[in-house]
Amino acid sequence: MKTISHDELKKIVKSSPMLSVSASRLLQLTSDPDHDLMDVVNLVKTDANLTARVLKLVNSAAFGLINEITSIDRAISYLGERFIVSIALGDCVGKVFEKKLVGYEAAAGDLWKHDLRTAIAAREVVVQGEMEISPDLAFTAGLLHDIGKALISDYLKDSAPEAIELITSHDSVDYLDAEEKLIGFDHTQAGFELAKAWQLPEKLAEVIRYHHSPAEASEAFRPLVYAVHLGDNIAMMGGFGTGSDSMRYRLDANYTDYITLTPNTLASIMLTVDSEFDKLEQSVASTGEDKG
Amino acid sequence: MGQVILGVGDYGASNNPTDDVKTFALGSCVSVILLDPKTKTVGMAHVALPDSSINKAKAAEKPGYFADTAIPALLAEMTKYGCHKKGKGMVVKLCGGANVMDTNDTFQIGKRNALAIKKILWAHGMGAIAEDLGENFSRTVTISVGAGQVTLSSPGRPNWQL
Ligand SMILES: [Fe+2]
Ligand SMILES: [Fe+2]
């Protein structure tokens, strides 16, 4: 299998879709712990397309509102930040999320579903694990965490059996290691390059880079990275991986330094993920029919 | 050829020999498969969690979701096909219940699911004759009702029989 050089990876990143101005500003804003919902409202108002999307979503059948919501302020406070971020990302880089991951033998849409499950689970880990970080930020970070898979999937083409062989023969400790052996990069390194090109806030870039090795993240961001690490594992356990790599990663049990989870809390998180996913998937999909 | 597709927490049965009963991507979930040679009926439940006491409302709405409610619900469903209400004569197979690598106790939901299911089966005087449980990969299950054949698949691996 041919490895990707660093220059090639840079080229792949360059040819990827870029974030829209409003999506980029939205990610900056919502990563700042001092922002409030009014800031989000003001930002969305500067983008007519995004405003229209948000209003369309809130009035879609998925929410079953009796009275139409016509004000963007009300729509955003009704939906909450995470829906707005999902729509904004879907609008400009939806293609990346919808990509069929041939290298992982996954179908088109599997990555988006996995990301959405991870996002919901990470948010629930924060809420039910009684963490002191923003649940909405954990959601956004969950959405973005595996973005690197879309970049390297084509290069991993037909390699899934080989990757699995590397793991079962203990030549690789996990799928990440197998990716690196096969093409010279793993999906967290590739995703980190894209995060730089997208000028993502540092904490989101670190989630992308360290979601399988949270202990390596900067101390300040570690709780967030651990929340997404657990969210990712919960998504895979629930049957929503991205194909051949599902469950073939290591759990860092030191999450207990940051997160308190009993088996019952974990079960309750898994239940919430199932029910929230159905709602969110329906509603976000319902705005995405002309997704570019 | 029809397909009976079961999602997370679903259970169902078929006695149509041209049908496949199928469930996708069992991560830590466990698929309980009941094959009744007498009536040529195949039943399956896709169990997500070991114990319904955590959410009684969910258990009422989706009994297949929990080990303790899934098995009685599946047995009751199969009586509609003329099967014995306590599962007498049925062949039991289990698969799924994977765990992520290096998992700690809390995250061993796959293992807890499998144990809970076995306990309930024992209480019904039933036991699995074949199982493919645990490890760290996701499994998709397809059962051909006519042949009673259970086929497992996982991305990147050749299919295998249970
Ligand atoms: Fe990942
Ligand atoms: Fe992931």
Side-chain angles (χ1 to χ4, degrees):
Chain A
M1 185 134 256
K2 196 178 159 295
T3 57
I4 314 176
S5 71
H6 203 268
D7 281 350
E8 272 173 285
L9 182 62
K10 285 232 156 85
K11 263 186 229 155
I12 300 167
V13 166
K14 251 193 181 152
S15 64
S16 303
M18 286 294 127
L19 289 181
S20 65
V21 175
S22 42
S24 181
R25 286 174 56 199
L26 195 57
L27 292 178
Q28 293 290 348
L29 175 67
T30 52
S31 298
D32 176 353
D34 291 331
H35 79 283
D36 61 35
L37 204 62
M38 222 32 231
D39 300 324
V40 177
V41 170
N42 290 331
L43 204 164
V44 172
K45 278 181 174 166
T46 64
D47 184 331
N49 183 41
L50 185 56
T51 303
R53 292 274 203 186
V54 171
L55 286 171
K56 190 174 162 198
L57 170 63
V58 77
N59 292 305
S60 69
F63 290 95
L65 295 180
I66 298 162
N67 297 311
E68 193 184 345
I69 291 184
T70 51
S71 108
I72 188 67
D73 306 50
R74 278 197 54 215
I76 292 175
S77 66
Y78 180 85
L79 292 171
E81 212 172 280
R82 62 191 189 284
F83 278 94
I84 314 303
V85 172
S86 306
I87 300 169
L89 280 176
D91 263 356
C92 53
V93 290
K95 257 191 199 153
V96 183
F97 288 105
E98 292 289 345
K99 192 176 161 68
K100 182 177 174 184
L101 299 181
V102 279
Y104 299 86
E105 299 189 1
D110 281 0
L111 177 61
W112 175 243
K113 284 181 197 162
H114 169 69
D115 288 337
L116 208 49
R117 300 279 291 207
T118 303
I120 300 166
R123 185 174 193 277
E124 287 307 313
V125 165
V126 170
V127 174
Q128 301 194 38
E130 295 176 359
M131 296 178 76
E132 277 164 13
I133 57 175
S134 155
D136 281 331
L137 182 60
F139 183 93
T140 303
L143 273 187
L144 291 164
H145 80 287
D146 264 344
I147 202 76
K149 285 183 186 170
L151 296 190
I152 63 168
S153 163
D154 288 349
Y155 297 84
L156 285 168
K157 199 171 189 272
D158 302 328
S159 74
E162 251 177 287
I164 286 160
E165 179 52 33
L166 281 169
I167 297 167
T168 44
S169 65
H170 300 288
D171 288 323
S172 284
V173 293
D174 60 7
Y175 212 91
L176 223 49
D177 189 56
E179 288 173 348
E180 195 173 346
K181 282 206 171 79
L182 288 165
I183 57 164
F185 275 96
D186 68 43
H187 71 269
T188 69
Q189 292 166 315
F192 192 61
E193 286 300 320
L194 186 61
K196 281 192 269 182
W198 281 359
Q199 295 181 298
L200 292 183
E202 221 182 321
K203 50 184 94 165
L204 294 178
E206 285 219 8
V207 167
I208 292 170
R209 180 66 184 88
Y210 299 116
H211 67 273
H212 293 295
S213 54
E216 290 174 42
S218 319
E219 202 168 345
F221 307 144
R222 226 172 277 159
L224 176 67
V225 180
Y226 268 106
V228 175
H229 176 63
L230 295 193
D232 181 31
N233 281 296
I234 292 167
M236 292 189 285
M237 287 162 66
F240 287 80
T242 56
S244 54
D245 68 329
S246 192
M247 319 277 295
R248 298 185 187 272
Y249 296 99
R250 304 194 164 265
L251 180 79
D252 179 352
N254 287 330
Y255 72 80
T256 50
D257 291 349
Y258 304 92
I259 306 163
T260 311
L261 280 186
T262 62
N264 269 352
T265 320
L266 182 59
S268 149
I269 290 172
M270 293 193 77
L271 270 167
T272 313
V273 172
D274 265 338
S275 54
E276 281 283 298
F277 176 70
D278 291 343
K279 266 191 277 176
L280 207 64
E281 198 201 10
Q282 257 185 33
S283 56
V284 179
S286 69
T287 64
E289 64 264 65
D290 46 344
K291 197 179 278 175
Chain B
M1 191 189 76
Q3 281 203 323
V4 181
I5 309 250
L6 301 171
V8 180
D10 288 342
Y11 62 93
S14 168
N15 61 1
N16 182 337
T18 64
D19 271 355
D20 275 348
V21 178
K22 189 161 184 161
T23 197
F24 290 97
L26 297 160
S28 57
C29 295
V30 172
S31 157
V32 182
I33 301 159
L34 300 182
L35 307 159
D36 186 29
K38 212 175 94 196
T39 62
K40 302 227 179 299
T41 305
V42 168
M44 195 214 299
H46 182 140
V47 176
L49 290 172
D51 184 4
S52 68
S53 64
I54 176 176
N55 191 326
K56 289 284 176 203
K58 179 79 183 184
E61 173 208 330
K62 242 186 195 322
Y65 206 93
F66 303 98
D68 56 336
T69 44
I71 289 164
L74 179 58
L75 284 171
E77 175 70 17
M78 289 178 77
T79 60
K80 294 181 191 162
Y81 298 81
C83 302
H84 188 267
K85 66 174 191 250
K86 284 182 174 162
K88 210 172 135 192
M90 285 187 192
V91 172
V92 185
K93 296 186 178 184
L94 302 175
C95 56
N99 295 297
V100 289
M101 303 166 95
D102 282 355
T103 180
N104 67 354
D105 284 349
T106 307
F107 273 78
Q108 291 205 347
I109 292 188
K111 194 173 164 188
R112 285 200 291 280
N113 279 335
L115 278 176
I117 286 166
K118 286 179 180 176
K119 236 169 112 177
I120 292 146
L121 286 171
W122 280 326
H124 284 81
M126 301 166 88
I129 64 144
E131 55 179 56
D132 190 85
L133 294 164
E135 297 191 74
N136 44 57
F137 53 87
S138 169
R139 298 160 173 91
T140 287
V141 192
T142 311
I143 312 159
S144 60
V145 176
Q149 192 166 58
V150 181
T151 306
L152 300 184
S153 66
S154 183
R157 297 181 44 143
N159 295 354
W160 68 105
Q161 308 286 337
L162 180 67

